[in-house]
Amino acid sequence: MVDAAKSVSPHGWLMRNAKRAKETGRRIRRHLIPVITAVLVMAIATFAVLALRPTPSGVPALVALTDLRAGEPVTNKTASVFLLPKTAVPDEAVSSFAQTDGEDIRRDVARGEVLLLRDFTDNTSGVPPGRSRVVLDLPADSDGLKTGEVVQIWGSSDACLAPDSPIEKLASDAVVEQVNEVASAAFQGDADARVSFLMASSEVAQVLCASTQSGLHIVVAGP
């Protein structure tokens, strides 16, 4: 015969287990919610720090950390890449160790000096990769340009096909290499200044088309 005091109906057993499961769930939530909250707070704080952290700006340039002699190899112990203001970085500056091609430096370099592409190659033209030297005959007021000045060149965007096409920026960071006065009329017409520019090779075609068809406008933009 079954003891009535010890017997438990299926319904009572289910109710008691449901109560235990409910209490266990409460305990888990009570401990888990603070953990989840803490993780979320840390994630939000980390995101805020990363979002507010200023983005490094400048132009990468390989700079000598020590005095270097011609014939020495350049390693990460003797040089390092720094972000420098654009005005302080020559057009042919080396921006990474990969550009040295493992070559030894060809001249003596003082500590703190920016290393140049011609320091590692036989390229004596002074024209860095991806850039081209363009010589243009420009109007008289162009002789006010200064060597080393970074300018924008504007003109008809599709001058070779339609000289009256819209005026657009054809070269965004052309560097004035040299300015010479022209005493007589040049082959493109009367001109009083012959200016040598270094510009992106991809911009040369449009600049040359505009110079022969519709004229150019040289703009010195502020920093």
Side-chain angles (χ1 to χ4, degrees):
M1 190 170 178
V2 179
D3 188 347
K6 294 183 179 179
S7 65
V8 178
S9 67
H11 177 71
W13 181 86
L14 289 174
M15 290 293 293
R16 187 162 60 244
N17 278 277
K19 186 176 180 181
R20 288 176 181 172
K22 191 173 182 180
E23 290 176 353
T24 301
R26 287 175 180 173
R27 285 197 298 269
I28 292 174
R29 287 195 297 273
R30 191 162 54 244
H31 290 87
L32 190 59
I33 289 175
V35 173
I36 295 175
T37 302
V39 170
L40 288 175
V41 169
M42 289 179 63
I44 292 172
T46 301
F47 176 79
V49 169
L50 292 176
L52 294 175
R53 186 175 60 184
T55 303
S57 61
V59 177
L62 189 63
V63 179
L65 298 177
T66 62
D67 292 338
L68 297 171
R69 290 186 176 276
E72 286 187 20
V74 176
T75 68
N76 56 11
K77 293 183 179 180
T78 58
S80 184
V81 175
F82 293 92
L83 290 178
L84 302 177
K86 186 175 182 179
T87 54
V89 179
D91 277 336
E92 55 175 318
V94 176
S95 61
S96 68
F97 283 99
Q99 289 184 299
T100 67
D101 290 329
E103 295 288 335
D104 295 341
I105 197 161
R106 295 176 177 270
R107 67 181 177 95
D108 292 345
V109 173
R111 177 184 178 185
E113 191 173 345
V114 175
L115 304 183
L116 308 177
L117 291 169
R118 65 170 177 261
D119 295 336
F120 300 93
T121 68
D122 292 325
N123 178 16
T124 58
S125 68
V127 180
R131 307 280 284 181
S132 295
R133 176 177 289 119
V134 178
V135 179
L136 301 172
D137 288 320
L138 301 173
D141 56 359
S142 299
D143 59 7
L145 293 173
K146 299 177 182 178
T147 301
E149 210 164 28
V150 180
V151 302
Q152 299 171 353
I153 300 179
W154 291 69
S156 297
S157 58
D158 202 3
C160 286
L161 298 178
D164 57 349
S165 60
I167 298 294
E168 293 183 9
K169 190 188 329 182
L170 306 180
S172 57
D173 61 345
V175 178
V176 179
E177 270 199 312
Q178 193 172 12
V179 181
N180 295 317
E181 293 183 3
V182 178
S184 59
F187 64 91
Q188 291 180 0
D190 292 334
D192 295 288
R194 181 163 292 165
V195 185
S196 172
F197 296 96
L198 272 180
M199 65 182 68
S201 298
S202 59
E203 298 170 334
V204 171
Q206 283 192 325
V207 169
L208 292 179
C209 279
S211 70
T212 57
Q213 300 293 327
S214 59
L216 299 171
H217 305 274
I218 310 300
V219 177
V220 180

PDB file of all heavy atoms in Angstrom, residues 73-100:
ATOM      1  N   PRO A  73      73.182  49.779 -46.451  1.00  0.00           N
ATOM      2  CA  PRO A  73      71.784  49.359 -46.598  1.00  0.00           C
ATOM      3  C   PRO A  73      70.899  50.184 -45.669  1.00  0.00           C
ATOM      4  O   PRO A  73      71.349  50.664 -44.625  1.00  0.00           O
ATOM      5  CB  PRO A  73      71.811  47.886 -46.173  1.00  0.00           C
ATOM      6  CG  PRO A  73      72.967  47.808 -45.206  1.00  0.00           C
ATOM      7  CD  PRO A  73      73.994  48.783 -45.722  1.00  0.00           C
ATOM      8  N   VAL A  74      69.665  50.353 -46.052  1.00  0.00           N
ATOM      9  CA  VAL A  74      68.701  51.083 -45.225  1.00  0.00           C
ATOM     10  C   VAL A  74      67.748  50.071 -44.608  1.00  0.00           C
ATOM     11  O   VAL A  74      67.066  49.326 -45.324  1.00  0.00           O
ATOM     12  CB  VAL A  74      67.930  52.121 -46.060  1.00  0.00           C
ATOM     13  CG1 VAL A  74      66.867  52.799 -45.219  1.00  0.00           C
ATOM     14  CG2 VAL A  74      68.889  53.153 -46.635  1.00  0.00           C
ATOM     15  N   THR A  75      67.710  50.012 -43.277  1.00  0.00           N
ATOM     16  CA  THR A  75      66.870  49.046 -42.567  1.00  0.00           C
ATOM     17  C   THR A  75      65.961  49.786 -41.595  1.00  0.00           C
ATOM     18  O   THR A  75      66.051  51.005 -41.441  1.00  0.00           O
ATOM     19  CB  THR A  75      67.738  48.044 -41.790  1.00  0.00           C
ATOM     20  OG1 THR A  75      68.401  48.744 -40.709  1.00  0.00           O
ATOM     21  CG2 THR A  75      68.796  47.424 -42.699  1.00  0.00           C
ATOM     22  N   ASN A  76      65.111  49.011 -40.918  1.00  0.00           N
ATOM     23  CA  ASN A  76      64.209  49.640 -39.947  1.00  0.00           C
ATOM     24  C   ASN A  76      64.945  50.116 -38.695  1.00  0.00           C
ATOM     25  O   ASN A  76      64.346  50.725 -37.820  1.00  0.00           O
ATOM     26  CB  ASN A  76      63.072  48.682 -39.555  1.00  0.00           C
ATOM     27  CG  ASN A  76      63.582  47.360 -39.019  1.00  0.00           C
ATOM     28  OD1 ASN A  76      64.771  47.187 -38.730  1.00  0.00           O
ATOM     29  ND2 ASN A  76      62.679  46.401 -38.877  1.00  0.00           N
ATOM     30  N   LYS A  77      66.247  49.820 -38.610  1.00  0.00           N
ATOM     31  CA  LYS A  77      67.053  50.344 -37.511  1.00  0.00           C
ATOM     32  C   LYS A  77      67.685  51.683 -37.859  1.00  0.00           C
ATOM     33  O   LYS A  77      68.076  52.446 -36.978  1.00  0.00           O
ATOM     34  CB  LYS A  77      68.146  49.345 -37.133  1.00  0.00           C
ATOM     35  CG  LYS A  77      67.612  48.046 -36.531  1.00  0.00           C
ATOM     36  CD  LYS A  77      68.753  47.127 -36.121  1.00  0.00           C
ATOM     37  CE  LYS A  77      68.233  45.844 -35.493  1.00  0.00           C
ATOM     38  NZ  LYS A  77      69.333  44.934 -35.087  1.00  0.00           N
ATOM     39  N   THR A  78      67.787  51.966 -39.160  1.00  0.00           N
ATOM     40  CA  THR A  78      68.432  53.210 -39.588  1.00  0.00           C
ATOM     41  C   THR A  78      67.453  54.201 -40.208  1.00  0.00           C
ATOM     42  O   THR A  78      67.808  55.343 -40.478  1.00  0.00           O
ATOM     43  CB  THR A  78      69.544  52.922 -40.606  1.00  0.00           C
ATOM     44  OG1 THR A  78      68.991  52.236 -41.735  1.00  0.00           O
ATOM     45  CG2 THR A  78      70.638  52.062 -39.980  1.00  0.00           C
ATOM     46  N   ALA A  79      66.216  53.756 -40.443  1.00  0.00           N
ATOM     47  CA  ALA A  79      65.212  54.648 -41.041  1.00  0.00           C
ATOM     48  C   ALA A  79      63.825  54.194 -40.617  1.00  0.00           C
ATOM     49  O   ALA A  79      63.628  53.040 -40.216  1.00  0.00           O
ATOM     50  CB  ALA A  79      65.329  54.658 -42.559  1.00  0.00           C
ATOM     51  N   SER A  80      62.889  55.104 -40.697  1.00  0.00           N
ATOM     52  CA  SER A  80      61.513  54.769 -40.323  1.00  0.00           C
ATOM     53  C   SER A  80      60.552  55.662 -41.104  1.00  0.00           C
ATOM     54  O   SER A  80      60.918  56.752 -41.542  1.00  0.00           O
ATOM     55  CB  SER A  80      61.299  54.959 -38.818  1.00  0.00           C
ATOM     56  OG  SER A  80      60.002  54.551 -38.437  1.00  0.00           O
ATOM     57  N   VAL A  81      59.310  55.178 -41.277  1.00  0.00           N
ATOM     58  CA  VAL A  81      58.293  55.947 -41.994  1.00  0.00           C
ATOM     59  C   VAL A  81      57.532  56.824 -41.006  1.00  0.00           C
ATOM     60  O   VAL A  81      57.040  56.345 -39.982  1.00  0.00           O
ATOM     61  CB  VAL A  81      57.315  55.009 -42.735  1.00  0.00           C
ATOM     62  CG1 VAL A  81      56.194  55.814 -43.383  1.00  0.00           C
ATOM     63  CG2 VAL A  81      58.044  54.187 -43.773  1.00  0.00           C
ATOM     64  N   PHE A  82      57.450  58.121 -41.317  1.00  0.00           N
ATOM     65  CA  PHE A  82      56.724  59.080 -40.497  1.00  0.00           C
ATOM     66  C   PHE A  82      55.665  59.776 -41.351  1.00  0.00           C
ATOM     67  O   PHE A  82      55.831  59.899 -42.569  1.00  0.00           O
ATOM     68  CB  PHE A  82      57.671  60.134 -39.920  1.00  0.00           C
ATOM     69  CG  PHE A  82      58.656  59.602 -38.911  1.00  0.00           C
ATOM     70  CD1 PHE A  82      59.911  59.177 -39.314  1.00  0.00           C
ATOM     71  CD2 PHE A  82      58.322  59.524 -37.566  1.00  0.00           C
ATOM     72  CE1 PHE A  82      60.828  58.686 -38.395  1.00  0.00           C
ATOM     73  CE2 PHE A  82      59.225  59.033 -36.639  1.00  0.00           C
ATOM     74  CZ  PHE A  82      60.475  58.612 -37.051  1.00  0.00           C
ATOM     75  N   LEU A  83      54.594  60.240 -40.694  1.00  0.00           N
ATOM     76  CA  LEU A  83      53.603  61.077 -41.369  1.00  0.00           C
ATOM     77  C   LEU A  83      54.027  62.530 -41.193  1.00  0.00           C
ATOM     78  O   LEU A  83      54.074  63.035 -40.076  1.00  0.00           O
ATOM     79  CB  LEU A  83      52.208  60.850 -40.782  1.00  0.00           C
ATOM     80  CG  LEU A  83      51.562  59.491 -41.077  1.00  0.00           C
ATOM     81  CD1 LEU A  83      50.203  59.390 -40.396  1.00  0.00           C
ATOM     82  CD2 LEU A  83      51.409  59.275 -42.574  1.00  0.00           C
ATOM     83  N   LEU A  84      54.325  63.203 -42.293  1.00  0.00           N
ATOM     84  CA  LEU A  84      54.820  64.571 -42.262  1.00  0.00           C
ATOM     85  C   LEU A  84      53.856  65.491 -43.009  1.00  0.00           C
ATOM     86  O   LEU A  84      53.094  65.035 -43.877  1.00  0.00           O
ATOM     87  CB  LEU A  84      56.202  64.646 -42.912  1.00  0.00           C
ATOM     88  CG  LEU A  84      57.297  63.754 -42.308  1.00  0.00           C
ATOM     89  CD1 LEU A  84      58.578  63.888 -43.125  1.00  0.00           C
ATOM     90  CD2 LEU A  84      57.551  64.110 -40.855  1.00  0.00           C
ATOM     91  N   PRO A  85      53.881  66.794 -42.704  1.00  0.00           N
ATOM     92  CA  PRO A  85      53.061  67.735 -43.480  1.00  0.00           C
ATOM     93  C   PRO A  85      53.429  67.670 -44.955  1.00  0.00           C
ATOM     94  O   PRO A  85      54.595  67.492 -45.308  1.00  0.00           O
ATOM     95  CB  PRO A  85      53.438  69.101 -42.879  1.00  0.00           C
ATOM     96  CG  PRO A  85      53.949  68.783 -41.509  1.00  0.00           C
ATOM     97  CD  PRO A  85      54.630  67.454 -41.616  1.00  0.00           C
ATOM     98  N   LYS A  86      52.429  67.804 -45.816  1.00  0.00           N
ATOM     99  CA  LYS A  86      52.651  67.664 -47.255  1.00  0.00           C
ATOM    100  C   LYS A  86      53.721  68.630 -47.760  1.00  0.00           C
ATOM    101  O   LYS A  86      54.518  68.303 -48.630  1.00  0.00           O
ATOM    102  CB  LYS A  86      51.337  67.892 -47.996  1.00  0.00           C
ATOM    103  CG  LYS A  86      51.423  67.641 -49.488  1.00  0.00           C
ATOM    104  CD  LYS A  86      50.067  67.754 -50.142  1.00  0.00           C
ATOM    105  CE  LYS A  86      50.148  67.459 -51.628  1.00  0.00           C
ATOM    106  NZ  LYS A  86      48.813  67.538 -52.280  1.00  0.00           N
ATOM    107  N   THR A  87      53.738  69.845 -47.187  1.00  0.00           N
ATOM    108  CA  THR A  87      54.699  70.851 -47.641  1.00  0.00           C
ATOM    109  C   THR A  87      56.136  70.480 -47.300  1.00  0.00           C
ATOM    110  O   THR A  87      57.073  71.039 -47.869  1.00  0.00           O
ATOM    111  CB  THR A  87      54.365  72.214 -47.020  1.00  0.00           C
ATOM    112  OG1 THR A  87      54.290  72.074 -45.589  1.00  0.00           O
ATOM    113  CG2 THR A  87      53.040  72.744 -47.536  1.00  0.00           C
ATOM    114  N   ALA A  88      56.313  69.546 -46.359  1.00  0.00           N
ATOM    115  CA  ALA A  88      57.667  69.164 -45.939  1.00  0.00           C
ATOM    116  C   ALA A  88      58.172  67.923 -46.663  1.00  0.00           C
ATOM    117  O   ALA A  88      59.300  67.497 -46.427  1.00  0.00           O
ATOM    118  CB  ALA A  88      57.689  68.921 -44.426  1.00  0.00           C
ATOM    119  N   VAL A  89      57.340  67.360 -47.541  1.00  0.00           N
ATOM    120  CA  VAL A  89      57.707  66.112 -48.215  1.00  0.00           C
ATOM    121  C   VAL A  89      57.941  66.373 -49.700  1.00  0.00           C
ATOM    122  O   VAL A  89      57.016  66.771 -50.413  1.00  0.00           O
ATOM    123  CB  VAL A  89      56.600  65.053 -48.042  1.00  0.00           C
ATOM    124  CG1 VAL A  89      56.979  63.772 -48.753  1.00  0.00           C
ATOM    125  CG2 VAL A  89      56.349  64.783 -46.565  1.00  0.00           C
ATOM    126  N   PRO A  90      59.159  66.163 -50.192  1.00  0.00           N
ATOM    127  CA  PRO A  90      59.432  66.334 -51.625  1.00  0.00           C
ATOM    128  C   PRO A  90      58.598  65.358 -52.460  1.00  0.00           C
ATOM    129  O   PRO A  90      58.188  64.299 -51.987  1.00  0.00           O
ATOM    130  CB  PRO A  90      60.929  66.013 -51.748  1.00  0.00           C
ATOM    131  CG  PRO A  90      61.472  66.172 -50.358  1.00  0.00           C
ATOM    132  CD  PRO A  90      60.362  65.793 -49.436  1.00  0.00           C
ATOM    133  N   ASP A  91      58.355  65.732 -53.712  1.00  0.00           N
ATOM    134  CA  ASP A  91      57.541  64.885 -54.592  1.00  0.00           C
ATOM    135  C   ASP A  91      58.128  63.488 -54.753  1.00  0.00           C
ATOM    136  O   ASP A  91      57.392  62.515 -54.897  1.00  0.00           O
ATOM    137  CB  ASP A  91      57.417  65.532 -55.977  1.00  0.00           C
ATOM    138  CG  ASP A  91      56.312  66.582 -56.000  1.00  0.00           C
ATOM    139  OD1 ASP A  91      55.403  66.482 -55.177  1.00  0.00           O
ATOM    140  OD2 ASP A  91      56.383  67.508 -56.813  1.00  0.00           O
ATOM    141  N   GLU A  92      59.449  63.376 -54.779  1.00  0.00           N
ATOM    142  CA  GLU A  92      60.057  62.069 -55.012  1.00  0.00           C
ATOM    143  C   GLU A  92      60.483  61.391 -53.711  1.00  0.00           C
ATOM    144  O   GLU A  92      61.388  60.545 -53.702  1.00  0.00           O
ATOM    145  CB  GLU A  92      61.232  62.187 -55.974  1.00  0.00           C
ATOM    146  CG  GLU A  92      62.288  63.172 -55.548  1.00  0.00           C
ATOM    147  CD  GLU A  92      63.480  63.144 -56.508  1.00  0.00           C
ATOM    148  OE1 GLU A  92      63.893  62.045 -56.911  1.00  0.00           O
ATOM    149  OE2 GLU A  92      63.995  64.214 -56.836  1.00  0.00           O
ATOM    150  N   ALA A  93      59.849  61.745 -52.620  1.00  0.00           N
ATOM    151  CA  ALA A  93      60.177  61.119 -51.340  1.00  0.00           C
ATOM    152  C   ALA A  93      59.781  59.649 -51.349  1.00  0.00           C
ATOM    153  O   ALA A  93      58.770  59.256 -51.934  1.00  0.00           O
ATOM    154  CB  ALA A  93      59.474  61.840 -50.206  1.00  0.00           C
ATOM    155  N   VAL A  94      60.586  58.835 -50.685  1.00  0.00           N
ATOM    156  CA  VAL A  94      60.257  57.412 -50.517  1.00  0.00           C
ATOM    157  C   VAL A  94      59.219  57.296 -49.412  1.00  0.00           C
ATOM    158  O   VAL A  94      59.392  57.853 -48.325  1.00  0.00           O
ATOM    159  CB  VAL A  94      61.523  56.606 -50.149  1.00  0.00           C
ATOM    160  CG1 VAL A  94      61.168  55.150 -49.867  1.00  0.00           C
ATOM    161  CG2 VAL A  94      62.554  56.697 -51.265  1.00  0.00           C
ATOM    162  N   SER A  95      58.136  56.575 -49.686  1.00  0.00           N
ATOM    163  CA  SER A  95      57.050  56.475 -48.708  1.00  0.00           C
ATOM    164  C   SER A  95      57.037  55.152 -47.948  1.00  0.00           C
ATOM    165  O   SER A  95      56.312  55.008 -46.967  1.00  0.00           O
ATOM    166  CB  SER A  95      55.701  56.674 -49.400  1.00  0.00           C
ATOM    167  OG  SER A  95      55.502  55.677 -50.387  1.00  0.00           O
ATOM    168  N   SER A  96      57.841  54.176 -48.393  1.00  0.00           N
ATOM    169  CA  SER A  96      57.878  52.884 -47.713  1.00  0.00           C
ATOM    170  C   SER A  96      59.186  52.168 -48.048  1.00  0.00           C
ATOM    171  O   SER A  96      59.850  52.486 -49.046  1.00  0.00           O
ATOM    172  CB  SER A  96      56.692  52.014 -48.129  1.00  0.00           C
ATOM    173  OG  SER A  96      56.814  51.627 -49.484  1.00  0.00           O
ATOM    174  N   PHE A  97      59.542  51.193 -47.234  1.00  0.00           N
ATOM    175  CA  PHE A  97      60.754  50.419 -47.484  1.00  0.00           C
ATOM    176  C   PHE A  97      60.661  49.661 -48.812  1.00  0.00           C
ATOM    177  O   PHE A  97      61.673  49.404 -49.467  1.00  0.00           O
ATOM    178  CB  PHE A  97      61.012  49.438 -46.343  1.00  0.00           C
ATOM    179  CG  PHE A  97      61.591  50.066 -45.115  1.00  0.00           C
ATOM    180  CD1 PHE A  97      60.793  50.404 -44.036  1.00  0.00           C
ATOM    181  CD2 PHE A  97      62.948  50.342 -45.030  1.00  0.00           C
ATOM    182  CE1 PHE A  97      61.329  50.994 -42.896  1.00  0.00           C
ATOM    183  CE2 PHE A  97      63.500  50.927 -43.900  1.00  0.00           C
ATOM    184  CZ  PHE A  97      62.685  51.252 -42.830  1.00  0.00           C
ATOM    185  N   ALA A  98      59.428  49.309 -49.215  1.00  0.00           N
ATOM    186  CA  ALA A  98      59.255  48.541 -50.452  1.00  0.00           C
ATOM    187  C   ALA A  98      59.785  49.309 -51.659  1.00  0.00           C
ATOM    188  O   ALA A  98      60.244  48.704 -52.631  1.00  0.00           O
ATOM    189  CB  ALA A  98      57.779  48.205 -50.645  1.00  0.00           C
ATOM    190  N   GLN A  99      59.738  50.629 -51.597  1.00  0.00           N
ATOM    191  CA  GLN A  99      60.168  51.436 -52.744  1.00  0.00           C
ATOM    192  C   GLN A  99      61.697  51.484 -52.893  1.00  0.00           C
ATOM    193  O   GLN A  99      62.192  51.912 -53.928  1.00  0.00           O
ATOM    194  CB  GLN A  99      59.630  52.857 -52.626  1.00  0.00           C
ATOM    195  CG  GLN A  99      58.127  52.965 -52.841  1.00  0.00           C
ATOM    196  CD  GLN A  99      57.659  54.395 -52.812  1.00  0.00           C
ATOM    197  OE1 GLN A  99      57.807  55.097 -51.818  1.00  0.00           O
ATOM    198  NE2 GLN A  99      57.096  54.852 -53.904  1.00  0.00           N
ATOM    199  N   THR A 100      62.426  51.046 -51.884  1.00  0.00           N
ATOM    200  CA  THR A 100      63.886  51.053 -51.989  1.00  0.00           C
ATOM    201  C   THR A 100      64.396  49.835 -52.751  1.00  0.00           C
ATOM    202  O   THR A 100      65.549  49.796 -53.171  1.00  0.00           O
ATOM    203  CB  THR A 100      64.535  51.065 -50.599  1.00  0.00           C
ATOM    204  OG1 THR A 100      64.266  49.821 -49.938  1.00  0.00           O
ATOM    205  CG2 THR A 100      63.996  52.215 -49.747  1.00  0.00           C
TER     206      THR A 100
END
